[in-house]
Amino acid sequence: MIIKGMSYTKWQKIVQMGTTFFSVIAIFLPIFTLFCYLLDSDFSTLMGGKASYANGRKKKLVESKSSGDHSIWNNETHQAYIPIPDIEKSIFFTGYNYRPDANHTGSRLISLSSSKNKLFAKEKERIYLNCSDPMSITFSEKSSPYSLVPMSIDNKGLTIRLEVKYEKKTGEIIYESNKELLLKKTSPESVKVTKAADDGRKSLMQTSLFAPDTMISLIGGKEYSEKKDKHRLYFKKNQTSKCCYVKSGDMLSYVNGIWKKSNKALKNKPLFKVSSIDSTGLHGTFWNETGFYQKNYTIQLNKKTRSSIHSFSFDKIYKRNNESVICKIKDRTFLIKPHDWLIKKNSTWHHIKNLSEFTSLVNLDSLNELIIFEGILKEKEKELFIGYIFDSVRSNYKKLEIPLKKKETPSYTR
């Protein structure tokens, strides 16, 4: 058989090759299918679903990424980090109000400074910071994400809480962080002292301290109980009453050029507080009106008083009657009765005649030696003049017990 254009022999070979090819396919295709099944493979995907598989894989990756992003940004452990600025190189603690009245109210003023400005703030008060330049942080009059709060003060310095807070306009907090740190006190600039404070300070430097008033301790009544056994500050200038009876813990305020003792410190007035009193003197602290200036003072106890009490004697002394005596001191003759007082002025003795002289003497407005006649004491066959003589500030005294003789004198000085 001859096909047009092709010999029978060629055609026979083509038929044989086709038969062989289909025979091979018929034999090996079932075997290959069985092999894929055993390997749990998807024969249809392997043969014709490559594009579908790739699209499915891409979809899973997109879903996984979307789900992963959501969990990361909503987890607090992955919150954005904003560093807290190092303010110790820019903000300095220079002092605070040391006055005791500030301590009790919890509103002590604190002095802080930066390279550009200075600030006075109260404890627990929030202070906003401008941190646009991390190398030069300053105080801000407007609210900002950065702030500090003074917490407590001790000998080491000022403990503050530094805060960072970012929030939306709705008030929702986006980021918040804080830490505590200690600002050590630096050397402050010289504190300006007002004229009133300077005058008060100078007045303290010219003050004397006297021991308790022995006269009040011996014969003082209930009206003097507040002054008994208390030391006395003696102000030499500008005082309506130069003597102030004080004990540990007492406070004095400087008002209109005069130191006045008060139960509590007077606001906006220089202040002096007595810390302690011992055998060496009085120890206390002075503050100016703001409390940022303070100075410790020790006022030495005055132990040297010019006095002739240990060598004193009457030139003559006689009993006039059962209650009074007549005595002579340096050419002056006196009739004295129980509880009469004689003071020494300019080397001459005088009777205290009125209340103003008595008050002036008690307040040490005038410094005079003093004799107080207590009365006549009968002891067996003797009669004694009993009295006391005090030095000019009444820190020392001597008891007088003088035997009396009965004799009248023609005249005496009253």
Side-chain angles (χ1 to χ4, degrees):
M1 180 179 182
I2 298 174
I3 299 176
K4 186 178 181 180
M6 182 181 299
S7 64
Y8 176 81
T9 305
K10 288 183 178 181
W11 171 250
Q12 187 178 21
K13 287 182 180 181
I14 291 171
V15 171
Q16 290 176 349
M17 290 176 64
T19 303
T20 302
F21 174 77
F22 285 107
S23 297
V24 171
I25 293 298
I27 294 171
F28 285 99
L29 184 59
I31 296 173
F32 184 75
T33 302
L34 178 62
F35 177 77
C36 291
Y37 177 79
L38 293 175
L39 293 178
D40 197 23
S41 296
D42 187 354
F43 180 74
S44 63
T45 301
L46 181 64
M47 296 300 291
K50 186 176 181 180
S52 176
Y53 172 79
N55 291 335
R57 179 65 177 170
K58 183 176 181 180
K59 183 178 180 181
K60 288 181 180 180
L61 286 173
V62 171
E63 290 176 353
S64 174
K65 183 176 180 181
S66 175
S67 175
D69 288 348
H70 180 74
S71 63
I72 289 174
W73 292 110
N74 286 277
N75 192 334
E76 291 185 359
T77 60
H78 295 85
Q79 190 179 41
Y81 173 69
I82 300 175
I84 294 179
D86 183 10
I87 70 165
E88 294 172 276
K89 297 179 180 179
S90 301
I91 306 296
F92 306 99
F93 168 50
T94 55
Y96 74 95
N97 185 347
Y98 291 83
R99 285 172 58 120
D101 50 339
N103 291 341
H104 292 310
T105 61
S107 60
R108 287 177 293 186
L109 281 176
I110 298 166
S111 173
L112 297 170
S113 66
S114 70
S115 58
K116 295 183 179 180
N117 49 8
K118 190 172 183 178
L119 181 77
F120 293 97
K122 294 180 180 180
E123 288 180 277
K124 315 298 183 182
E125 179 182 353
R126 185 171 300 279
I127 303 167
Y128 291 102
L129 302 175
N130 179 3
C131 298
S132 57
D133 181 3
M135 302 304 294
S136 181
I137 298 171
T138 57
F139 305 115
S140 174
E141 294 181 358
K142 299 179 180 179
S143 60
S144 73
Y146 299 90
S147 64
L148 63 86
V149 179
M151 301 300 294
S152 61
I153 305 170
D154 56 27
N155 294 331
K156 295 180 181 179
L158 172 66
T159 299
I160 66 168
R161 186 176 68 246
L162 184 59
E163 298 182 359
V164 180
K165 181 187 290 186
Y166 282 88
E167 54 186 8
K168 296 180 180 179
K169 292 182 179 180
T170 59
E172 180 184 352
I173 297 175
I174 303 173
Y175 177 82
E176 185 175 22
S177 182
N178 67 80
K179 73 173 182 179
E180 286 192 1
L181 54 90
L182 178 70
L183 296 180
K184 295 183 179 179
K185 186 178 178 182
T186 60
S187 299
E189 301 175 0
S190 57
V191 179
K192 293 183 179 180
V193 178
T194 63
K195 185 179 184 304
D198 190 50
D199 289 344
R201 181 177 57 181
K202 290 178 180 178
S203 175
L204 286 174
M205 295 173 65
Q206 299 175 359
T207 300
S208 296
L209 178 68
F210 298 136
D213 191 330
T214 54
M215 180 195 73
I216 291 177
S217 299
L218 282 171
I219 60 175
K222 292 182 180 180
E223 64 271 25
Y224 296 108
S225 59
E226 290 295 320
K227 298 179 179 180
K228 189 175 181 180
D229 299 326
K230 291 183 179 179
H231 284 71
R232 296 163 292 164
L233 280 175
Y234 180 72
F235 299 97
K236 299 177 182 178
K237 294 183 178 180
N238 303 328
Q239 292 286 131
T240 52
S241 179
K242 294 184 177 181
C243 180
C244 183
Y245 291 78
V246 294
K247 67 180 186 308
S248 297
D250 280 349
M251 289 186 285
L252 291 83
S253 298
Y254 195 66
V255 183
N256 298 326
I258 297 173
W259 282 106
K260 294 182 177 181
K261 191 168 70 170
S262 55
N263 295 329
K264 60 181 181 179
L266 301 183
K267 292 290 185 181
N268 301 318
K269 300 296 180 183
L271 178 69
F272 182 71
K273 182 178 180 181
V274 180
S275 302
S276 62
I277 304 175
D278 54 32
S279 58
T280 62
L282 179 148
H283 312 281
T285 306
F286 168 83
W287 291 272
N288 70 337
E289 296 90 337
T290 65
F292 283 95
Y293 177 87
Q294 72 164 13
K295 186 175 179 61
N296 295 327
Y297 283 97
T298 295
I299 302 174
Q300 300 293 329
L301 181 63
N302 188 328
K303 297 180 180 180
K304 297 179 180 179
T305 54
R306 295 181 180 180
S307 176
S308 58
I309 63 173
H310 295 292
S311 61
F312 173 82
S313 64
F314 292 105
D315 295 334
K316 292 181 181 180
I317 184 167
Y318 301 99
K319 175 184 174 182
R320 182 173 183 271
N321 54 39
N322 290 334
E323 291 185 351
S324 62
V325 298
I326 295 175
C327 60
K328 185 176 183 182
I329 312 173
K330 292 186 177 180
D331 299 327
R332 287 180 65 92
T333 303
F334 301 92
L335 170 64
I336 54 178
K337 300 175 182 179
H339 311 301
D340 275 356
W341 293 27
L342 299 176
I343 60 172
K344 186 179 182 180
K345 294 182 179 180
N346 301 321
S347 301
T348 303
W349 290 89
H350 304 270
H351 266 102
I352 291 182
K353 298 179 180 179
N354 53 55
L355 182 61
S356 62
E357 281 188 317
F358 171 80
T359 303
S360 177
L361 180 72
V362 172
N363 292 334
L364 292 183
D365 295 332
S366 58
L367 303 181
N368 308 108
E369 292 182 24
L370 170 68
I371 294 174
I372 298 178
F373 177 42
E374 189 174 275
I376 298 174
L377 176 64
K378 293 183 179 181
E379 190 178 82
K380 296 181 181 180
E381 297 181 356
K382 295 188 301 183
E383 291 182 312
L384 301 175
F385 170 95
I386 302 298
Y388 300 92
I389 182 170
F390 302 86
D391 65 16
S392 58
V393 296
R394 299 191 300 278
S395 294
N396 302 286
Y397 74 98
K398 176 185 177 182
K399 186 174 183 179
L400 302 175
E401 297 179 327
I402 305 171
L404 294 173
K405 295 181 179 179
K406 187 175 181 180
K407 183 177 180 180
E408 296 183 1
T409 54
S411 63
Y412 55 89
T413 302
R414 184 64 178 165

